[in-house]
Amino acid sequence: GENVEQHPSTLSVQEGDSAVIKCTYSDSASNYFPWYKQELGKGPQLIIDIRSNVGEKKDQRIAVTLNKTAKHFSLHITETQPEDSAVYFCAASPRGSTLGRLYFGRGTQLTVWP
Amino acid sequence: EAGVTQFPSHSVIEKGQTVTLRCDPISGHDNLYWYRRVMGKEIKFLLHFVKESKQDESGMPNNRFLAERTGGTYSTLKVQPAELEDSGVYFCASSQTLNTEAFFGQGTRLTVV
């Protein structure tokens, strides 16, 4: 089955700096890559996703890039704010699977210091 | 519109006891998923319902776990008898169709002592 690796496990940045979280996947047939943000006491919330026919997608301060050849994708957060502090999960869904059938990375605890 | 809701939010039980977790998906969502996160590890898929039918239960750890979705609305996940290694956070998610995003509930933190 699919295997998703996520790095780093923890990340601390100063407010205003950028943060980058990287993930790799093993199944070249995977074609849907969402990113979820989990705040304390809440469930994972989808913040951005990308499909395999696209190399980059942006939504305000967040962006995701996908390199299908290298089988890795990254989350970029610019101008970080304290409210960006949370656990971020990357995930992959294999081709032919429902988009809710996800293989997750282990998560990255992002802390943004004011 | 109400999101995915899970009950209880926390449960502490003794080894050997039974626990039942409940998930209410977003209204109209035919697809319902159960996931589990054991401390420090990845969120792992348990199973997927389409309406009341089990579409994929490949992630269920063993026969101590039983999931039901009678009537195709809310779902329950029963663990009987619970073991220490069952501790973790159990998430439920739902999606409207097979090709739309999944929305997660807040999770149930299960502690088996």
Side-chain angles (χ1 to χ4, degrees):
Chain A
E2 174 65 276
N3 182 48
V4 177
E5 299 283 343
Q6 182 172 348
H7 299 280
S9 56
T10 60
L11 179 60
S12 291
V13 299
Q14 202 74 33
E15 182 178 2
D17 287 349
S18 295
V20 180
I21 302 170
K22 299 182 178 182
C23 290
T24 60
Y25 60 99
S26 61
D27 186 353
S28 56
S30 289
N31 62 352
Y32 174 67
F33 307 92
W35 285 88
Y36 285 84
K37 174 184 181 182
Q38 185 181 12
E39 297 174 288
L40 205 59
K42 298 184 179 180
Q45 180 185 10
L46 180 71
I47 55 171
I48 195 167
D49 57 17
I50 192 168
R51 308 216 180 200
S52 60
N53 58 346
V54 176
E56 183 176 359
K57 185 175 178 181
K58 278 187 178 180
D59 183 3
Q60 300 182 337
R61 294 185 299 108
I62 60 174
V64 57
T65 58
L66 171 66
N67 183 327
K68 284 190 296 182
T69 303
K71 289 189 285 188
H72 67 70
F73 56 113
S74 302
L75 177 71
H76 304 253
I77 306 174
T78 58
E79 300 170 28
T80 54
Q81 301 166 2
E83 50 266 38
D84 293 330
S85 296
V87 179
Y88 290 80
F89 292 97
C90 63
S93 180
R95 188 185 305 276
S97 294
T98 165
L99 296 191
R101 176 60 175 100
L102 299 168
Y103 293 82
F104 282 89
R106 291 195 174 197
T108 296
Q109 174 68 62
L110 173 64
T111 304
V112 181
W113 299 100
Chain B
E1 178 183 281
V4 178
T5 51
Q6 294 185 243
F7 306 94
S9 54
H10 294 86
S11 180
V12 181
I13 62 171
E14 291 185 351
K15 175 182 171 181
Q17 289 187 322
T18 297
V19 63
T20 300
L21 314 181
R22 173 171 169 148
C23 169
D24 286 71
I26 294 172
S27 177
H29 281 199
D30 286 343
N31 297 272
L32 187 149
Y33 309 84
W34 283 99
Y35 282 84
R36 175 175 74 173
R37 188 185 189 205
V38 172
M39 191 168 63
K41 297 198 172 181
E42 70 272 26
I43 301 172
K44 271 194 165 181
F45 170 83
L46 296 178
L47 90 159
H48 168 213
F49 282 101
V50 176
K51 297 184 180 179
E52 68 276 8
S53 299
K54 291 176 185 174
Q55 184 77 8
D56 179 358
E57 51 184 330
S58 60
M60 294 289 264
N62 51 61
N63 59 10
R64 295 186 294 102
F65 289 75
L66 175 64
E68 295 181 319
R69 192 182 183 198
T70 308
T73 54
Y74 70 91
S75 174
T76 58
L77 179 65
K78 183 193 291 187
V79 185
Q80 180 182 31
E83 298 289 344
L84 299 179
E85 64 264 25
D86 300 333
S87 297
V89 181
Y90 289 76
F91 291 106
C92 174
S94 72
S95 66
Q96 190 168 26
T97 72
L98 295 176
N99 295 313
T100 50
E101 65 180 269
F103 295 86
F104 280 75
Q106 83 280 13
T108 293
R109 180 173 295 278
L110 174 64
T111 303
V112 183
V113 297

